[in-house]
Amino acid sequence: MNSNTYSIHAKSALFMLLVFTAIAPAIAAETTPSKQLQYWADKAGSQANSDRGKIFFNSTHGKEWSCSSCHGNPPTSPGKHASTSKAIDPLAPSANPDALTDSARTDKWFRRNCNDVLGRECLPQEKADVLSYLISIKK
C-alpha cells in the first residue's frame, strides 16, 4: 500500500466517522414520547387516560411486581430491577430526556416488562394509558 492509498483510506474512515457522529443522535431519538402515545392510542382506537395509566403503573395485577416495583413511584429517579438489582434510568421523560425516544427499545421493554407484571403482553390501550401517565409527570 503506498502513501496515497493509505491517505485515501484514512480520509474515507474519517469521513465515515464524521457521518456517523452526525447521525447517531438522530438514530437514538427517532421518535418522541408524544408520538409513541399517539401511535398506541390510534392502535387502541381511543384516547389515553393518564389517571388509568397511573393506576395501572402502580398496581400488581395479581402478580408479585408492578411497574413501580422497578421504576419507582413516581418514576422520576433512577430505579432498580426488583430481581437483578440492575440500575434503571428514570422512566419519566421530564426526568430523562432520552426516555421513550426509541420505538424499538420502548417496544422491547413493554414486551418484557408487561410479561413480568401481567404474565402477558400489554394491550394497546394499556400502553397508551401508561405513556400518558409517564408524559404527565413533572419533575
Side-chain angles (χ1 to χ4, degrees):
M1 187 180 305
N2 65 35
S3 65
N4 281 342
T5 303
Y6 180 78
S7 179
I8 290 171
H9 287 286
K11 287 178 182 175
S12 294
L14 179 59
F15 175 75
M16 294 303 293
L17 178 63
L18 290 172
V19 168
F20 179 75
T21 302
I23 66 170
I27 292 170
E30 52 89 18
T31 191
T32 65
S34 295
K35 286 181 181 175
Q36 292 204 70
L37 168 60
Q38 189 61 53
Y39 173 80
W40 287 111
D42 289 347
K43 285 280 217 186
S46 67
Q47 293 294 312
N49 181 300
S50 62
D51 291 333
R52 263 192 331 243
K54 182 177 183 178
I55 292 169
F56 184 94
F57 191 86
N58 292 302
S59 298
T60 57
H61 308 278
K63 295 199 124 206
E64 184 179 351
W65 297 343
S66 67
C67 303
S68 63
S69 298
C70 299
H71 294 285
N73 180 16
T76 54
S77 299
K80 184 172 74 173
H81 191 274
S83 176
T84 65
S85 296
K86 180 182 172 189
I88 301 171
D89 290 334
L91 194 54
S94 64
N96 177 6
D98 293 333
L100 311 170
T101 59
D102 180 334
S103 58
R105 181 177 163 85
T106 302
D107 289 348
K108 171 187 150 183
W109 286 110
F110 258 134
R111 188 174 44 255
R112 286 187 184 180
N113 294 346
C114 290
N115 192 48
D116 287 343
V117 171
L118 302 165
R120 62 169 171 80
E121 190 163 339
C122 290
L123 302 172
Q125 187 68 61
E126 293 166 335
K127 292 177 184 179
D129 291 344
V130 168
L131 288 170
S132 179
Y133 165 60
L134 294 172
I135 292 168
S136 75
I137 298 170
K138 304 298 177 217
K139 189 173 178 183

